[in-house]
Amino acid sequence: MKHLAVALILFLFVYQKCCAGAGDGFIRTRGIHFMLNGSPFYANGFNAYWLMYVASDPSQRHKVSTAFQQASSHGLTVARTWAFSDGGYKPLQYAPGSYNEQMFKGLDFVIAEARRYGIKLVLSLANNYENLGGKKQYVNWARSAGQYLTSDDDFFRNPVVKGYYKNHIRTILNRFNKFTGILYKNDPTIMAWELMNEPRCTSDPSGRTIQAWIMEMASYVKSIDRAHMLEAGLEGFYGQSSPQRLNRNPSFNIGTDFIANNRIPGIDFATVHSYPDQWLSSSNNENQLSFLNNWLDGHIQDAQFVLSKPILITEFGKSLKDPGFSSYQRDMLFNTVYYKIYASARHGGAAAGGLFWQLLTEGMDSFRDGYEIVLSENSSTANVISQQAHKLDQIRKIFARMRNFEMWRRARRAQRLARNRGKPIGK
């Protein structure tokens, strides 16, 4: 309770300084917190990259609706999904600047259904990997147009490729939703844009290429849409700007820099992913959990004290394909992540929520990757998820009560002052 009291004092300070337009339904940052309509917002959510893909087929849209309904009933408030599919089978963008309207209507439907079930969306604009096209497809398009490119990492450097990507940003942000009648850039159902899913530039481990690209693209997004938040899509690996933290990384050097990249002014909050079962695959479960604890502690502290921005754990999970997997181990991992978020939140800290990978619903066996959670099937993990939602909601309600109490006190004080001003002085 002592920690909650400190957090409440911090919140009241934040609330008093909260920006105008706080009741418009957009989530914004204020210091190290997310704010929604004047109250703190905590994201207990999930990844579902497949939403647009499935919704592009009207006969399959019930799966999207079911996923949102089940998520909402378990207290989940945010979904992260792809707003890209570049080239290949069933693309959103089948050539630079050329779009598949049927796929776009699928994304329209996803946003409309999220709105119906009270779920906010983080929409990712591109992929680092070849799945659904990614940076490789952009580079191949530029090669076909006569550009001499030697690496997929030229996605981050070549002016023609960057022009293709900027056009995609512009097209998505200015899309008119056929279901809601709202431009994407004006829709508060969208919580934030993500520049890229897990950007990596191994050809430049110094980090300068990714840093310049994020700066350029963040500025471009904000030139079109200043209402929504923006994040870079980072996994959280430390870079050259903080050499004392490099030993926290698993053995990767992929050209990103958690501190420098997230210090860019257009980036509103930090993100971190965590897959100890992939990153430390030769370690046992105990060592992986130890790494997870240290990984999250370090990033939450750095978000709070170095970056002064909220942090969202945008991907985490444990695969049932891991040797010796048990649902108990997965629940331990979820509980570890959730406890770090809750402990930070109740102290008024920077951890703003977590999104597990990935949510499926019944009848989606072809999308199973080992990390899937089907809420109707995975009862113990579903209980862990619901408990976290309840705990974060309790913190939110306490803040809301304190906000209302403070507003009442201000009104009473104003009434007393008004009465006093009307009294005669002296006898």
Side-chain angles (χ1 to χ4, degrees):
M1 291 305 295
K2 178 178 71 176
H3 297 312
L4 270 175
V6 173
L8 291 168
I9 292 169
L10 288 172
F11 163 69
L12 291 173
F13 174 77
V14 167
Y15 174 75
Q16 290 167 5
K17 293 181 175 292
C18 201
C19 57
D24 59 9
F26 284 90
I27 298 175
R28 295 182 172 89
T29 61
R30 179 58 54 174
I32 58 172
H33 302 112
F34 289 147
M35 303 291 288
L36 173 61
N37 298 333
S39 294
F41 179 83
Y42 297 102
N44 196 38
F46 59 95
N47 285 269
Y49 76 91
W50 50 268
L51 291 170
M52 175 181 67
Y53 181 89
V54 170
S56 67
D57 180 350
S59 72
Q60 298 298 305
R61 286 178 181 164
H62 65 278
K63 294 177 180 175
V64 172
S65 302
T66 299
F68 281 140
Q69 185 276 322
Q70 292 178 347
S72 178
S73 70
H74 285 76
L76 295 168
T77 55
V78 174
R80 174 173 172 260
T81 193
W82 297 168
F84 63 81
S85 178
D86 311 307
Y89 178 65
K90 291 182 68 173
L92 172 62
Q93 184 178 197
Y94 57 83
S98 298
Y99 287 83
N100 178 346
E101 180 62 18
Q102 188 63 28
M103 187 67 79
F104 237 144
K105 286 181 180 176
L107 187 55
D108 291 347
F109 179 82
V110 168
I111 295 171
E113 284 297 274
R115 180 187 184 93
R116 184 156 79 100
Y117 286 100
I119 290 176
K120 300 289 187 177
L121 297 173
V122 176
L123 296 183
S124 188
L125 297 168
N127 202 4
N128 180 73
Y129 311 107
E130 294 181 32
N131 307 79
L132 302 179
K135 67 183 183 184
K136 184 181 184 68
Q137 179 62 75
Y138 276 90
V139 168
N140 286 340
W141 280 334
R143 285 196 183 109
S144 298
Q147 295 291 302
Y148 177 72
L149 303 175
T150 59
S151 165
D152 291 349
D153 286 347
D154 287 329
F155 174 91
F156 302 109
R157 293 183 281 253
N158 180 266
V160 172
V161 177
K162 288 193 289 185
Y164 293 161
Y165 176 67
K166 285 180 178 178
N167 180 73
H168 181 62
I169 292 172
R170 186 169 61 250
T171 302
I172 293 288
L173 272 56
N174 287 306
R175 168 72 178 182
F176 177 83
N177 191 314
K178 301 297 175 61
F179 289 88
T180 66
I182 304 172
L183 295 177
Y184 285 13
K185 66 181 179 182
N186 296 332
D187 194 338
T189 304
I190 298 166
M191 173 181 171
W193 305 110
E194 177 178 279
L195 289 179
M196 175 176 262
N197 172 51
E198 298 188 348
R200 294 183 174 192
C201 185
T202 54
S203 62
D204 182 9
S206 74
R208 286 189 290 270
T209 297
I210 287 282
Q211 181 77 358
W213 181 81
I214 294 175
M215 289 179 68
E216 180 178 352
M217 297 307 166
S219 176
Y220 187 73
V221 170
K222 293 295 185 176
S223 74
I224 301 172
D225 178 4
R226 301 199 69 84
H228 287 101
M229 299 187 295
L230 176 68
E231 48 98 352
L234 300 171
E235 298 161 270
F237 302 124
Y238 290 97
Q240 300 304 314
S241 72
S242 49
Q244 73 279 11
R245 292 176 173 83
L246 291 175
N247 61 359
R248 295 182 184 176
N249 289 344
S251 55
F252 298 151
N253 191 358
I254 48 96
T256 58
D257 188 319
F258 177 76
I259 299 297
N261 297 160
N262 283 309
R263 273 183 166 150
I264 293 170
I267 298 302
D268 295 297
F269 62 94
T271 63
V272 61
H273 295 183
S274 192
Y275 290 107
D277 63 341
Q278 292 183 24
W279 299 347
L280 284 73
S281 57
S282 59
S283 296
N284 60 32
N285 191 64
E286 184 179 350
N287 288 336
Q288 290 175 9
L289 285 176
S290 176
F291 168 85
L292 178 63
N293 273 287
N294 294 330
W295 181 250
L296 296 180
D297 282 343
H299 285 79
I300 292 169
Q301 291 166 12
D302 286 339
Q304 183 164 343
F305 299 111
V306 179
L307 299 172
S308 299
K309 295 180 179 182
I311 184 168
L312 194 60
I313 303 164
T314 41
E315 285 189 32
F316 67 92
K318 185 171 181 62
S319 174
L320 57 83
K321 298 177 183 178
D322 294 342
F325 170 86
S326 68
S327 57
Y328 173 75
Q329 289 182 351
R330 180 173 58 200
D331 293 350
M332 281 184 65
L333 183 137
F334 272 60
N335 273 317
T336 299
V337 174
Y338 285 158
Y339 178 76
K340 295 297 181 185
I341 295 166
Y342 175 73
S344 172
R346 69 176 183 157
H347 287 76
L355 317 178
F356 65 83
W357 186 279
Q358 65 162 328
L359 179 73
L360 297 181
T361 188
E362 300 86 351
M364 297 187 68
D365 290 352
S366 64
F367 291 88
R368 292 178 182 263
D369 61 0
Y371 289 91
E372 70 275 356
I373 301 294
V374 179
L375 292 169
S376 60
E377 295 175 3
N378 305 119
S379 57
S380 66
T381 308
N383 287 336
V384 171
I385 291 166
S386 296
Q387 289 166 12
Q388 176 73 354
H390 175 74
K391 289 161 70 174
L392 293 179
D393 193 50
Q394 290 300 109
I395 295 177
R396 182 193 60 79
K397 286 179 178 176
I398 290 171
F399 281 138
R401 285 198 294 269
M402 291 300 293
R403 178 196 67 183
N404 293 335
F405 177 67
E406 179 65 14
M407 291 172 68
W408 177 82
R409 285 182 57 187
R410 286 190 201 171
R412 295 280 293 174
R413 192 180 304 121
Q415 287 176 338
R416 286 197 300 270
L417 288 171
R419 284 198 300 268
N420 290 337
R421 279 196 294 269
K423 290 180 178 178
I425 299 175
K427 294 184 180 180

